[in-house]
Amino acid sequence: MKKFFMTLAVAATAFMATTVNAQTKEQFTDDLEISLNGAPQEPVKGTTVELEHQADGTSTFMLKNFTFGVFEVGDVIVEGIKGVKNGDATTYDFDGIAKLPSETAMVAVALGHQIPLTLHSVVEGGKLYAEISLSVTMGEEALKVDCVFGKKSETAINGVVAGKTAPVAVFNATGARQNGLQKGLNIVRTADGKTVKVLK
Protein backbone atom coordinates (compact mmCIF):
# COMPACT_ATOMS: atom_id res chain seq x y z
CA MET A 1 0.00 0.00 0.00
CA LYS A 2 2.85 2.35 0.88
CA LYS A 3 4.40 1.59 -2.52
CA PHE A 4 1.11 2.44 -4.25
CA PHE A 5 0.89 5.89 -2.56
CA MET A 6 4.55 6.57 -3.32
CA THR A 7 3.97 5.77 -7.04
CA LEU A 8 0.84 7.95 -7.02
CA ALA A 9 2.77 10.87 -5.47
CA VAL A 10 5.56 10.58 -8.07
CA ALA A 11 3.00 10.49 -10.92
CA ALA A 12 1.15 13.53 -9.52
CA THR A 13 4.42 15.47 -9.21
CA ALA A 14 5.38 14.62 -12.79
CA PHE A 15 1.92 15.66 -14.03
CA MET A 16 2.10 18.98 -12.17
CA ALA A 17 5.58 19.70 -13.56
CA THR A 18 4.33 18.98 -17.08
CA THR A 19 1.28 21.20 -16.57
CA VAL A 20 3.37 24.10 -15.22
CA ASN A 21 5.64 23.98 -18.29
CA ALA A 22 2.75 23.45 -20.73
CA GLN A 23 3.00 25.28 -24.03
CA THR A 24 0.69 25.36 -27.00
CA LYS A 25 1.66 26.38 -30.49
CA GLU A 26 -0.36 27.80 -33.37
CA GLN A 27 1.04 27.93 -36.91
CA PHE A 28 -0.27 30.17 -39.71
CA THR A 29 0.72 30.24 -43.39
CA ASP A 30 -0.24 33.13 -45.66
CA ASP A 31 1.18 35.72 -48.06
CA LEU A 32 3.51 38.42 -46.75
CA GLU A 33 3.35 41.82 -48.45
CA ILE A 34 6.54 43.85 -48.04
CA SER A 35 7.46 47.47 -48.75
CA LEU A 36 10.95 48.98 -48.45
CA ASN A 37 10.94 52.69 -47.60
CA GLY A 38 7.36 52.80 -48.93
CA ALA A 39 8.11 50.99 -52.23
CA PRO A 40 6.06 47.78 -52.61
CA GLN A 41 8.03 44.58 -53.26
CA GLU A 42 6.98 41.21 -54.67
CA PRO A 43 4.80 39.45 -52.03
CA VAL A 44 6.34 36.37 -50.40
CA LYS A 45 3.94 33.45 -50.86
CA GLY A 46 3.55 30.78 -48.18
CA THR A 47 5.20 32.66 -45.30
CA THR A 48 4.86 31.00 -41.89
CA VAL A 49 4.21 32.66 -38.52
CA GLU A 50 4.19 30.69 -35.27
CA LEU A 51 2.56 31.76 -32.00
CA GLU A 52 3.77 29.83 -28.99
CA HIS A 53 1.72 30.33 -25.82
CA GLN A 54 3.51 29.91 -22.49
CA ALA A 55 2.02 28.73 -19.21
CA ASP A 56 2.60 32.19 -17.66
CA GLY A 57 0.10 33.78 -20.09
CA THR A 58 2.68 35.35 -22.40
CA SER A 59 3.27 34.38 -26.03
CA THR A 60 6.16 34.27 -28.48
CA PHE A 61 5.56 35.52 -32.04
CA MET A 62 7.93 34.08 -34.66
CA LEU A 63 8.12 35.15 -38.31
CA LYS A 64 9.89 32.18 -39.92
CA ASN A 65 12.72 32.47 -42.47
CA PHE A 66 12.13 36.17 -43.19
CA THR A 67 13.67 37.59 -46.37
CA PHE A 68 13.18 41.03 -47.91
CA GLY A 69 14.61 41.93 -51.31
CA VAL A 70 17.95 40.15 -51.55
CA PHE A 71 18.45 40.25 -47.78
CA GLU A 72 18.03 37.04 -45.78
CA VAL A 73 17.21 37.68 -42.11
CA GLY A 74 16.12 34.26 -40.82
CA ASP A 75 13.62 33.91 -37.97
CA VAL A 76 12.35 37.11 -36.31
CA ILE A 77 11.27 36.43 -32.72
CA VAL A 78 9.22 38.60 -30.34
CA GLU A 79 9.00 37.21 -26.81
CA GLY A 80 6.84 37.97 -23.78
CA ILE A 81 3.81 39.54 -25.48
CA LYS A 82 0.38 39.32 -23.86
CA GLY A 83 -2.76 38.68 -25.84
CA VAL A 84 -5.85 40.86 -25.29
CA LYS A 85 -9.18 39.08 -25.84
CA ASN A 86 -11.95 40.89 -27.73
CA GLY A 87 -14.84 38.49 -28.30
CA ASP A 88 -13.53 35.68 -30.52
CA ALA A 89 -10.37 37.61 -31.42
CA THR A 90 -7.07 38.01 -29.58
CA THR A 91 -4.83 41.01 -30.27
CA TYR A 92 -1.04 40.98 -29.78
CA ASP A 93 0.87 44.30 -29.82
CA PHE A 94 4.59 44.94 -29.35
CA ASP A 95 6.98 47.86 -29.70
CA GLY A 96 10.58 47.06 -28.82
CA ILE A 97 13.53 44.88 -29.76
CA ALA A 98 13.02 41.54 -31.54
CA LYS A 99 15.59 38.72 -31.67
CA LEU A 100 17.28 37.48 -34.85
CA PRO A 101 18.86 34.18 -33.73
CA SER A 102 20.21 32.99 -37.11
CA GLU A 103 23.97 32.40 -37.17
CA THR A 104 24.02 32.04 -40.99
CA ALA A 105 21.87 34.97 -42.21
CA MET A 106 24.24 37.88 -42.91
CA VAL A 107 21.68 40.54 -41.94
CA ALA A 108 21.02 38.92 -38.54
CA VAL A 109 24.76 38.70 -37.83
CA ALA A 110 25.40 42.28 -39.05
CA LEU A 111 22.61 43.63 -36.80
CA GLY A 112 23.92 41.84 -33.73
CA HIS A 113 20.97 39.41 -33.67
CA GLN A 114 18.41 42.08 -32.73
CA ILE A 115 16.22 44.64 -34.49
CA PRO A 116 13.74 47.41 -33.51
CA LEU A 117 10.24 46.19 -34.37
CA THR A 118 6.59 47.17 -33.93
CA LEU A 119 3.83 44.58 -34.24
CA HIS A 120 0.04 44.72 -34.36
CA SER A 121 -1.59 41.33 -34.90
CA VAL A 122 -5.02 39.77 -34.51
CA VAL A 123 -5.90 36.07 -34.34
CA GLU A 124 -9.52 35.24 -35.15
CA GLY A 125 -11.27 32.20 -36.60
CA GLY A 126 -8.03 30.26 -37.04
CA LYS A 127 -6.47 33.09 -39.09
CA LEU A 128 -3.72 35.58 -38.26
CA TYR A 129 -3.46 39.15 -39.53
CA ALA A 130 -0.27 41.05 -38.67
CA GLU A 131 1.30 44.42 -39.42
CA ILE A 132 5.06 44.35 -38.80
CA SER A 133 7.48 47.29 -39.11
CA LEU A 134 11.25 46.89 -38.80
CA SER A 135 14.02 49.49 -38.81
CA VAL A 136 17.14 48.15 -40.53
CA THR A 137 20.35 50.19 -40.30
CA MET A 138 23.16 48.90 -42.51
CA GLY A 139 26.19 51.19 -42.31
CA GLU A 140 25.08 54.65 -43.50
CA GLU A 141 21.82 53.37 -44.94
CA ALA A 142 18.54 53.06 -43.01
CA LEU A 143 15.69 50.96 -44.38
CA LYS A 144 12.11 50.96 -43.15
CA VAL A 145 10.63 47.55 -43.81
CA ASP A 146 6.82 47.32 -43.51
CA CYS A 147 5.11 43.93 -43.77
CA VAL A 148 1.49 42.79 -43.81
CA PHE A 149 0.73 39.11 -43.16
CA GLY A 150 -2.71 37.70 -44.02
CA LYS A 151 -6.03 39.45 -44.61
CA LYS A 152 -7.59 42.05 -42.33
CA SER A 153 -10.82 41.00 -40.59
CA GLU A 154 -13.44 43.36 -39.11
CA THR A 155 -11.83 42.84 -35.67
CA ALA A 156 -8.40 43.70 -37.06
CA ILE A 157 -9.88 46.88 -38.56
CA ASN A 158 -11.48 47.77 -35.23
CA GLY A 159 -8.15 47.05 -33.50
CA VAL A 160 -6.72 50.06 -35.33
CA VAL A 161 -8.98 52.37 -33.33
CA ALA A 162 -7.58 51.49 -29.90
CA GLY A 163 -4.94 53.31 -27.83
CA LYS A 164 -2.03 54.97 -29.63
CA THR A 165 -3.49 53.85 -32.96
CA ALA A 166 -6.77 55.74 -32.48
CA PRO A 167 -7.61 57.58 -35.71
CA VAL A 168 -7.42 61.36 -35.67
CA ALA A 169 -8.49 61.63 -39.32
CA VAL A 170 -10.00 59.29 -41.93
CA PHE A 171 -9.78 59.93 -45.68
CA ASN A 172 -11.11 58.03 -48.72
CA ALA A 173 -8.89 56.85 -51.61
CA THR A 174 -9.17 60.26 -53.34
CA GLY A 175 -8.06 62.13 -50.21
CA ALA A 176 -11.46 63.49 -49.14
CA ARG A 177 -11.92 63.58 -45.35
CA GLN A 178 -14.54 61.16 -43.94
CA ASN A 179 -16.49 61.04 -40.64
CA GLY A 180 -15.30 57.50 -39.92
CA LEU A 181 -14.41 54.22 -41.62
CA GLN A 182 -16.40 53.81 -44.86
CA LYS A 183 -16.87 50.74 -47.06
CA GLY A 184 -13.83 50.34 -49.34
CA LEU A 185 -10.32 51.77 -48.90
CA ASN A 186 -9.76 54.18 -46.00
CA ILE A 187 -6.58 56.15 -45.28
CA VAL A 188 -6.35 56.53 -41.49
CA ARG A 189 -4.00 58.99 -39.77
CA THR A 190 -3.51 57.74 -36.19
CA ALA A 191 -2.73 59.50 -32.90
CA ASP A 192 0.90 58.33 -33.01
CA GLY A 193 1.42 60.08 -36.39
CA LYS A 194 1.30 57.00 -38.62
CA THR A 195 -0.78 56.59 -41.76
CA VAL A 196 -2.54 53.24 -42.18
CA LYS A 197 -4.52 51.86 -45.13
CA VAL A 198 -7.67 50.13 -43.93
CA LEU A 199 -9.92 48.08 -46.21
CA LYS A 200 -13.47 47.70 -44.88
Side-chain angles (χ1 to χ4, degrees), residues 29-197:
T29 303
D30 215 318
D31 295 346
L32 185 72
E33 294 178 21
I34 302 171
S35 67
L36 303 180
N37 290 340
Q41 307 296 302
E42 190 68 32
V44 181
K45 305 277 188 197
T47 300
T48 299
V49 170
E50 281 184 3
L51 264 179
E52 188 174 279
H53 307 291
Q54 315 298 332
D56 66 359
T58 64
S59 298
T60 298
F61 180 100
M62 184 187 298
L63 176 60
K64 304 282 284 179
N65 304 314
F66 179 54
T67 301
F68 64 92
V70 296
F71 301 106
E72 184 185 332
V73 180
D75 294 344
V76 179
I77 301 173
V78 175
E79 295 178 319
I81 52 177
K82 287 209 171 235
V84 177
K85 292 283 280 175
N86 177 12
D88 293 334
T90 305
T91 303
Y92 299 89
D93 288 306
F94 177 83
D95 189 354
I97 303 296
K99 294 182 179 179
L100 307 175
S102 175
E103 294 293 340
T104 57
M106 285 180 21
V107 173
V109 174
L111 294 174
H113 301 288
Q114 59 183 22
I115 191 167
L117 179 146
T118 59
L119 167 71
H120 171 72
S121 62
V122 179
V123 176
E124 183 179 22
K127 300 269 189 191
L128 170 74
Y129 170 79
E131 296 172 359
I132 307 160
S133 292
L134 306 100
S135 300
V136 183
T137 305
M138 305 283 281
E140 300 273 319
E141 197 170 342
L143 276 177
K144 181 141 180 355
V145 184
D146 293 309
C147 308
V148 175
F149 178 91
K151 303 285 182 285
K152 200 175 256 192
S153 69
E154 188 64 31
T155 306
I157 290 168
N158 294 338
V160 173
V161 302
K164 289 191 297 184
T165 58
V168 292
V170 179
F171 304 89
N172 65 17
T174 63
R177 193 172 184 129
Q178 305 293 311
N179 290 327
L181 293 175
Q182 307 295 319
K183 193 149 184 73
L185 180 64
N186 297 268
I187 312 297
V188 179
R189 192 169 62 230
T190 59
D192 59 3
K194 292 183 181 175
T195 301
V196 182
K197 291 179 183 169

Side-chain angles (χ1 to χ4, degrees), residues 18-36:
T18 304
T19 305
V20 167
N21 296 320
Q23 298 176 344
T24 59
K25 194 180 285 188
E26 295 179 271
Q27 186 168 299
F28 307 91
T29 303
D30 215 318
D31 295 346
L32 185 72
E33 294 178 21
I34 302 171
S35 67
L36 303 180

